[in-house]
Amino acid sequence: MSPLRLLRLLILLLVPLGGVRAGVVVSEIMYHPASEDSAEEFVELFNGGALPQALGGWRLEGGIGYTFPAGASIPAGGRLVVVANAAAFSAKHQAVTNFVGAWTGQLSNASDTITLRDAANVTVCEVTYADDGDWGERRRDLADHGHRGWIWASDADGGGKSLELIQPAFEVDEGQNWAASVVLGGTPGAANSVASANLPCIIDKVGHFPLVPKSSDVVAVQCRVRDDLGLVSSV
């Protein structure tokens, strides 16, 4: 047993959602197809608002670039897929017709920022995804000279699945609000396979004080807890 005596005080600061998010958000990202063919990449948009949204003059920016043509729109509660290559997407997802494209550039297989701006250059939605941290999970690595370590892994990172938004009413730039799709190829243009109306509490900003405790110190551990339904919990 360690000689260090710690009294752990967990302080929960619950930050509720503060209202349902309405409007257009990025809801699905195919950034690393299993084929390694960047032509199969796509980004899906979801309109959580009560009215249709005209998209003429809007832009997707980041590693990719696309300007929506005049007349482009997305219905209330609807989805629109922006694709890297129309022919490649149609060959892969023959039943999906609600898509536009093609874009310029390429999504990074490691980390990238996707920004959606309206015709007035106002940022509507921005997501910075990654293949590690909150965007992945820790898995045991293959044995190396008899030893196995831990690596970051995600089935959306070349495993044939897409990144899907779980709860569009919560923060879309929060990695814990995304997960690899249940089905191979993702669900472009349709409801996300991982969608849930009740997101598990998100715990982050974990820290302790003093930073370098002594064996006689009382150590306070703090974290932030956020919930999409605004439920209050304590321990």
Side-chain angles (χ1 to χ4, degrees):
M1 180 179 295
S2 170
L4 189 62
R5 228 171 13 93
L6 301 181
L7 174 60
R8 292 176 172 84
L9 304 177
L10 183 61
I11 302 175
L12 298 184
L13 173 60
L14 188 79
V15 182
L17 178 65
V20 175
R21 175 189 292 271
V24 180
V25 298
V26 174
S27 58
E28 187 173 2
I29 307 169
M30 174 61 81
Y31 69 91
H32 188 179
S35 65
E36 301 293 342
D37 184 359
S38 61
E40 295 181 5
E41 295 175 350
F42 64 80
V43 171
E44 178 193 81
L45 303 180
F46 170 70
N47 181 9
L51 298 172
Q53 177 62 62
L55 298 176
W58 288 37
R59 304 188 312 279
L60 271 180
E61 300 176 347
I64 58 174
Y66 180 76
T67 300
F68 292 85
S73 65
I74 180 170
R79 301 171 188 271
L80 182 65
V81 187
V82 187
V83 304
N85 181 285
F89 180 81
S90 292
K92 191 82 173 180
H93 306 278
Q94 299 179 13
V96 182
T97 58
N98 50 333
F99 70 90
V100 294
W103 67 44
T104 59
Q106 179 179 338
L107 293 173
S108 168
N109 289 348
S111 179
D112 214 334
T113 298
I114 300 173
T115 304
L116 177 65
R117 303 186 193 277
D118 66 15
N121 203 36
V122 175
T123 299
V124 176
C125 179
E126 189 167 77
V127 178
T128 300
Y129 69 83
D131 58 3
D132 57 10
D134 286 345
W135 299 86
E137 60 183 47
R138 296 292 272 174
R139 297 178 186 172
R140 294 302 299 270
D141 198 2
L142 299 176
D144 182 13
H145 295 89
H147 299 282
R148 295 181 66 192
W150 294 87
I151 60 172
W152 288 108
S154 170
D155 290 337
D157 184 18
K161 299 183 178 182
S162 67
L163 268 179
E164 291 186 338
L165 187 63
I166 300 172
Q167 168 57 287
F170 196 61
E171 299 175 19
V172 297
D173 197 33
E174 171 57 65
Q176 296 181 57
N177 194 19
W178 292 77
S181 60
V182 174
V183 297
L184 291 174
T187 58
N192 288 354
S193 60
V194 301
S196 174
N198 187 7
L199 188 70
C201 287
I202 291 176
I203 301 175
D204 61 6
K205 297 188 179 299
V206 180
H208 69 272
F209 186 84
L211 297 179
V212 184
K214 300 176 181 178
S215 60
S216 58
D217 286 338
V218 173
V219 178
V221 178
Q222 297 176 306
C223 70
R224 181 178 65 167
V225 178
R226 290 172 292 159
D227 185 88
D228 58 322
L229 299 180
L231 302 177
V232 179
S233 62
S234 62
V235 297

